[in-house]
Amino acid sequence: MPGLIADQYDDLTGAVQQIILSSSESDYLDQLIPLLKNAQASTQVTPLIHALNHVTADREAEIERICNNNHQEFISSVQHLQTVREGTVKLTSEIMELSLSIEASTEKLAEQKKALVDSRGVRQNIDDATQALKDCLEVLRLANQVHDLLGKKNHYAALRALDELQNVHLREVTRYKIAEMIERSVPATHRLIAEAVMTDLNTWLYRIRETSQFLGEVAFYHTEMRRNRQRDRAQQDEYLGSFKLNSAIELVADEGEEFDVLNNDEVQVDFSPLFECMHIHDALGQTDKFRADYAATRRRQKDLLIPQALDLLDEEANGLSSLLEGIAGFAIVEKATMAKTTALRAQPDVDELWDSMCQSAISLISAALPRIDNAEKLLKIKGVIALFIQTMDSWHYSVQALDALLLTLFAKYSELLKKRYSDDLAEVVAEDDYMPMPVPNAAEYNKVLALTWYTPPPSEQADPEAIEYPCILPFSQMYPLVCIDIRNLINQTYLFADDHFRHTSVVDGTLHRDLDDLLVQRVCLALIDRLRSQYPGQVVQILTNLEHFERACTDLEHLLVEARSSTSAAGPITLRATKAFKEAKEHAERRIFELVNSKIDDLIDTAEYDWLSTWVPREVSPYMTELTRYLANIMSSVLVGLPEGVKDTLYFSALAFIGDALLRLPLDEGVVRITRQAARAWVMDAGHLVEFVQGLDEEHGPERLLGGLEELRQMGDLMGLAVEGEGDVFFDSSVRGVRFGRVDKLKGAELLEKVERKGVGGGGGGRSPLLAVGVGTGAEEGGRKGVANTFGDFRDRFGPFGKRDRS
């Protein structure tokens, strides 16, 4: 165990030595930490403490040894220092004595120097007083000169003199009271100069405000002269006519006509007072204050330009012209001021004033617009505004708000035009006599051709001189009157787009819409409403007018394409009115057919056939005579004005309707039996109708019209054969295909069954021919019962052969 403790003590002693030799506290800790970590018990810490105490004792012994060896040398050094201190005290007393001796001699010399300085000062004071008096007199002279120049309105010279006084002469007398007094008066003098120059500027601004309207009038006149020159150039060169006012080409072409709106024979605007005021305030360091005051003054002057209300009902639009001329003059001065000065008027400030004036003018105009009910007056107003826009556009002001105002004006203008022509067209349609229009002479005839879209017949086009007057035109007088209104509407609408109107597509679209509305609502629908008339002649005239209006709409579409003001638009223009007139024409045709067929139906309803009669008539029935007379009348008078195609169709349709109606008479379900005498009467009437058609003039095309009566003619032929007892040939397919090809098999069989055959009495007995052709039930028994049953079956399947449904 002693050996183990000794070894531990030696190890701790080495570690303690390393700790002592450590260069820093961190190294000390680095050496100490492992020892502490290795300590497992308090018994192992104790040797560490003993080791540290041992090292400490060794060091104290070493220090004591060193001190004992050097004690004598330390005592000798202390004695030497005491000797040196005693010598120092002695030298200090000698220096004090020498200083007192030098001080005594210096006081004597100072007294002599003071006497010399006092004598020289008196003489210098006299010289200084003399010079100061001269300097003060010069300063006073300059101060008086400043006020003299100010009184003579030489503001800038006065400012220069005051600046020279303050920065040069006043600095030479700053030690005198007069300098302080004049220095205190300098700001007041500056204010006097600033107020004087502002007074002159306000006078100039007042004159500018009074001149603004005249300046705007001169600018308007110059713009009007530019318009005229551009029109002259457009007449000489079509290419130049495609360029608007203020375009680059127009400006280059007009360079030879130089004109200064601000300096000419009529008006001169001198900006010298403004320049002087700016320069003086700049010299005074009050540029920002002057800029603010000038801007406030111009805003107040702007407000004085705008009236409380505007009267647009003046015939010459003087109130509007005065307002816009004043705004134009004010804005031109602002733009010129900005161009002639630097930093006085900023572009946003000028634009703000311009926008404010424009909005005020637009508000006044918009408020006065509802009272205007005349399109011509509105056109004058638009002309003044357009002149204003073109003038200000040349000064590079924004005119978008004014262009929007023109859109509002155009909407009002087109509304007034539409109302006017709507009333005119309604009156024209209502007052028309619906008779073909007579033309008394060639002048009137040419006038009608020029104003309408009427194309004369080829014969009249080939030789106009061969026309005999008075001549009758196919349409009624409403047609040229409507054409005149339409042309006037087009001209007056595009008149709004002259000079200046950038929304040309709006003009085209509005005109297209208005034309459609007027033609459809006021003309087409009004004519359709009049088709309820019971007079065929009036309906025929309406149909003729509708056909000419349809052609006119087609020509009008081409005219609108050529007159289109928008260069960006392309493609054809289609009017709804074209289709509306076409449909109305078809309606009119149906109405004519309806009237004619109704009359025919009424006449046929008067037919009084006694199908069981035994009396043979010697002449045509009265209803047939009246019917052919009616056909002759409408062909020669009432329907003569119809277009050839419609006329032919109507004739053919009427005859086909008559033939169908006549066929329904003997085939009626109520007719059970027809005597030979009654059959001959019906055949005579049908033959009379065929003869009437055959006797028509060639211009009516009787051969073609007979086609509509072919079934009736063949049925009459068949009935005649039935009366003679030869009706059986109908059932011979080879004969039927040649002679009775248009006769329906069932109708022919029914008619043969009803007509009494020659030599057969009572209408009964005998074998039914219907069974011979295999169209029955197949039974071999004869008599009327089998035939009736057969036709009953067919009626059940295909319906009765009754009268034609008039609906």
Side-chain angles (χ1 to χ4, degrees):
M1 289 296 294
L4 179 60
I5 293 174
D7 291 338
Q8 290 177 351
Y9 181 80
D10 292 338
D11 294 338
L12 290 174
T13 301
V16 168
Q17 291 296 330
Q18 291 179 0
I19 291 171
I20 294 173
L21 295 177
S22 298
S23 60
S24 64
E25 184 179 354
S26 60
D27 294 339
Y28 168 79
L29 293 175
D30 290 341
Q31 297 296 330
L32 184 61
I33 287 172
L35 295 176
L36 294 177
K37 286 183 177 181
N38 293 330
Q40 297 179 354
S42 60
T43 54
Q44 293 179 352
V45 176
T46 302
L48 176 62
I49 295 174
H50 288 325
L52 290 173
N53 290 334
H54 178 74
V55 172
T56 301
D58 290 344
R59 291 298 175 91
E60 288 178 352
E62 186 179 355
I63 292 171
E64 183 177 359
R65 181 176 54 79
I66 292 173
C67 289
N68 290 333
N69 293 334
N70 298 321
H71 178 70
Q72 190 63 36
E73 293 178 0
F74 178 75
I75 293 174
S76 299
S77 297
V78 170
Q79 292 176 352
H80 182 69
L81 287 173
Q82 290 178 349
T83 303
V84 172
R85 185 175 181 278
E86 291 176 355
T88 302
V89 171
K90 183 179 179 179
L91 289 174
T92 300
S93 62
E94 292 178 355
I95 291 172
M96 292 296 294
E97 292 176 357
L98 180 60
S99 175
L100 292 174
S101 176
I102 293 173
E103 183 178 357
S105 61
T106 300
E107 289 177 353
K108 184 178 180 179
L109 180 62
E111 291 176 357
Q112 294 176 351
K113 179 66 174 178
K114 183 174 179 300
L116 178 62
V117 170
D118 289 342
S119 61
R120 289 180 178 179
V122 172
R123 186 176 62 184
Q124 184 64 35
N125 289 338
I126 295 173
D127 294 338
D128 291 344
T130 303
Q131 184 62 37
L133 184 59
K134 291 180 180 180
D135 293 340
C136 289
L137 289 175
E138 180 64 19
V139 168
L140 287 175
R141 185 187 68 80
L142 291 175
N144 291 331
Q145 183 181 8
V146 170
H147 289 278
D148 291 340
L149 292 172
L150 190 59
K152 295 177 182 179
K153 293 188 177 298
N154 293 332
H155 306 117
Y156 184 67
L159 184 63
R160 290 292 300 272
L162 183 62
D163 184 66
E164 183 181 356
L165 172 65
Q166 184 181 15
N167 295 322
V168 179
H169 300 283
L170 204 60
R171 290 184 179 181
E172 298 176 357
V173 294
T174 53
R175 58 187 179 276
Y176 307 119
K177 191 68 174 178
I178 190 174
E180 183 180 352
M181 295 174 61
I182 294 176
E183 184 69 31
R184 288 201 302 268
S185 68
V186 167
T189 307
H190 280 163
R191 286 195 297 273
L192 288 176
I193 295 174
E195 291 173 358
V197 74
M198 282 301 295
T199 300
D200 289 350
L201 180 64
N202 289 333
T203 302
W204 178 78
L205 287 173
Y206 175 77
R207 291 173 181 171
I208 287 295
R209 184 171 69 85
E210 293 295 320
T211 311
S212 291
Q213 182 178 345
F214 184 62
L215 178 62
E217 183 179 352
V218 172
F220 283 12
Y221 175 78
H222 173 57
T223 303
E224 186 64 36
M225 292 299 101
R226 289 175 56 201
R227 280 183 179 179
N228 295 335
R229 290 194 293 270
Q230 180 63 11
R231 290 193 191 99
D232 294 339
R233 285 190 289 267
Q235 292 177 358
Q236 297 173 4
D237 188 345
E238 184 178 354
Y239 175 72
L240 292 178
S242 61
F243 296 98
K244 300 296 184 181
L245 209 68
N246 295 323
S247 63
I249 298 297
E250 187 274 333
L251 293 174
V252 171
D254 206 59
E255 283 182 345
E257 302 290 342
E258 294 184 0
F259 183 81
D260 188 356
V261 176
L262 297 169
N263 187 13
N264 51 74
D265 296 338
E266 301 293 336
V267 62
Q268 295 84 31
V269 179
D270 184 13
F271 286 87
S272 299
L274 177 62
F275 297 152
E276 182 182 20
C277 192
M278 286 180 57
H279 194 64
I280 289 175
H281 280 83
D282 182 55
L284 293 175
Q286 299 178 1
T287 301
D288 294 338
K289 180 179 180 299
F290 171 68
R291 187 185 300 114
D293 292 343
Y294 183 83
T297 302
R298 292 299 282 170
R299 281 195 295 270
R300 289 193 297 271
Q301 289 188 330
K302 179 265 296 182
D303 295 335
L304 294 175
L305 283 174
I306 309 300
Q308 295 297 323
L310 184 63
D311 183 15
L312 295 180
L313 299 178
D314 182 15
E315 288 296 330
E316 300 299 328
N318 292 325
L320 178 62
S321 296
S322 299
L323 171 64
L324 298 184
E325 287 169 359
I327 294 176
F330 184 93
I332 289 173
V333 170
E334 283 294 293
K335 188 69 76 169
T337 302
M338 189 173 65
K340 293 177 181 291
T341 61
T342 56
L344 175 62
R345 302 296 286 155
Q347 185 68 48
D349 296 336
V350 175
D351 291 340
E352 180 183 0
L353 286 179
W354 166 252
D355 293 338
S356 176
M357 291 187 293
C358 287
Q359 291 302 324
S360 299
I362 291 172
S363 299
L364 290 173
I365 294 171
S366 300
L369 274 181
R371 296 191 294 272
I372 298 177
D373 57 358
N374 183 275
E376 284 70 21
K377 179 60 184 174
L378 204 59
L379 196 60
K380 290 182 180 179
I381 294 173
K382 180 265 175 181
V384 175
I385 297 176
L387 186 62
F388 174 65
I389 291 175
Q390 290 177 326
T391 300
M392 302 320 296
D393 191 26
S394 64
W395 285 88
H396 306 293
Y397 276 106
S398 174
V399 294
Q400 292 181 354
L402 296 170
D403 281 334
L405 174 63
L406 289 185
L407 271 178
T408 304
L409 290 179
F410 178 71
K412 177 73 173 180
Y413 179 76
S414 61
E415 178 184 347
L416 292 176
L417 285 181
K418 184 177 181 181
K419 183 179 183 303
R420 176 201 297 175
Y421 286 106
S422 177
D423 296 340
D424 288 349
L425 292 175
E427 183 178 356
V428 167
V429 174
E431 296 181 354
D432 191 47
D433 57 3
Y434 295 96
M435 297 291 290
M437 179 180 174
V439 178
N441 50 54
E444 291 295 327
Y445 181 82
N446 293 329
K447 185 177 180 181
V448 170
L449 293 183
L451 296 177
T452 67
W453 289 277
Y454 170 61
T455 302
S459 59
E460 295 182 6
Q461 296 183 35
D463 188 8
E465 297 181 357
I467 303 175
E468 296 182 1
Y469 296 99
C471 67
I472 303 298
L473 296 177
F475 43 78
S476 64
Q477 63 181 0
M478 70 164 292
Y479 174 71
L481 293 177
V482 171
C483 290
I484 291 173
D485 280 348
I486 294 301
R487 288 186 183 273
N488 288 337
L489 175 61
I490 294 173
N491 293 334
Q492 292 184 15
T493 301
Y494 280 122
L495 193 61
F496 194 93
D498 287 349
D499 297 329
H500 176 84
F501 191 71
R502 295 177 178 174
H503 308 280
T504 53
S505 59
V506 176
V507 176
D508 296 331
T510 302
L511 178 60
H512 186 181
R513 184 184 64 250
D514 290 349
L515 284 175
D516 258 339
D517 291 344
L518 291 175
L519 289 173
V520 173
Q521 300 295 331
R522 290 302 181 184
V523 180
C524 186
L525 293 182
L527 291 178
I528 291 176
D529 185 64
R530 286 187 170 271
L531 288 176
R532 292 179 297 179
S533 171
Q534 297 297 324
Y535 300 100
Q538 187 175 13
V539 177
V540 167
Q541 188 60 59
I542 293 174
L543 173 59
T544 303
N545 290 349
L546 288 171
E547 182 177 21
H548 283 86
F549 278 125
E550 181 186 2
R551 296 175 184 173
C553 285
T554 302
D555 294 337
L556 183 59
E557 291 171 348
H558 297 296
L559 176 63
L560 291 177
V561 172
E562 295 175 358
R564 186 159 46 195
S565 56
S566 177
T567 57
S568 60
I573 292 178
T574 302
L575 292 173
R576 289 185 295 108
T578 306
K579 182 179 179 181
F581 280 119
K582 181 178 180 181
E583 294 175 351
K585 187 178 68 172
E586 296 172 355
H587 186 185
E589 292 175 2
R590 291 193 299 270
R591 179 58 178 164
I592 294 175
F593 295 161
E594 179 183 338
L595 290 175
V596 172
N597 293 343
S598 176
K599 179 64 175 178
I600 293 172
D601 227 359
D602 292 340
L603 291 174
I604 294 178
D605 284 345
T606 62
E608 297 180 354
Y609 287 105
D610 182 4
W611 299 108
L612 301 178
S613 172
T614 59
W615 175 75
V616 179
R618 298 183 179 275
E619 57 184 13
V620 179
S621 299
Y623 88 92
M624 181 55 68
T625 304
E626 185 66 23
L627 180 60
T628 54
R629 183 182 299 113
Y630 172 73
L631 291 176
N633 288 337
I634 64 171
M635 287 182 177
S636 60
S637 59
V638 178
L639 306 180
V640 70
L642 284 176
E644 293 300 326
V646 177
K647 189 189 306 181
D648 293 344
T649 303
L650 177 62
Y651 292 165
F652 189 87
S653 175
L655 291 174
F657 179 78
I658 294 172
D660 185 60
L662 290 177
L663 285 175
R664 289 200 306 270
L665 294 176
L667 294 175
D668 188 87
E669 289 184 350
V671 180
V672 178
R673 183 170 60 88
I674 302 174
T675 64
R676 295 192 302 274
Q677 292 81 0
R680 289 194 181 97
W682 185 86
V683 171
M684 181 186 300
D685 291 341
H688 178 74
L689 179 63
V690 173
E691 291 175 359
F692 166 76
V693 175
Q694 291 174 341
L696 292 176
D697 297 335
E698 290 297 329
E699 63 180 5
H700 296 301
E703 296 298 330
R704 192 182 69 84
L705 296 178
L706 285 174
L709 298 175
E710 186 63 23
E711 183 180 5
L712 178 66
R713 189 187 63 78
Q714 292 182 10
M715 189 68 84
D717 189 15
L718 178 60
M719 187 177 287
L721 292 176
V723 171
E724 298 298 328
E726 300 177 3
D728 291 344
V729 297
F730 177 73
F731 301 102
D732 187 344
S733 58
S734 61
V735 176
R736 186 177 65 246
V738 176
R739 295 185 60 180
F740 309 107
R742 298 289 295 276
V743 178
D744 182 79
K745 293 180 181 180
L746 294 180
K747 291 181 181 179
E750 183 180 3
L751 186 64
L752 291 175
E753 185 63 25
K754 289 183 178 182
V755 177
E756 291 182 349
R757 290 175 291 175
K758 185 176 181 181
V760 178
R767 183 169 182 259
S768 172
L770 188 61
L771 297 179
V773 294
V775 186
T777 59
E780 294 294 330
E781 33 180 86
R784 186 179 304 277
K785 181 177 179 181
V787 177
N789 291 336
T790 303
F791 276 95
D793 295 339
F794 274 89
R795 277 197 298 271
D796 291 339
R797 295 179 59 190
F798 301 107
F801 299 100
K803 289 190 177 181
R804 181 177 178 180
D805 186 7
R806 296 186 183 181
S807 62

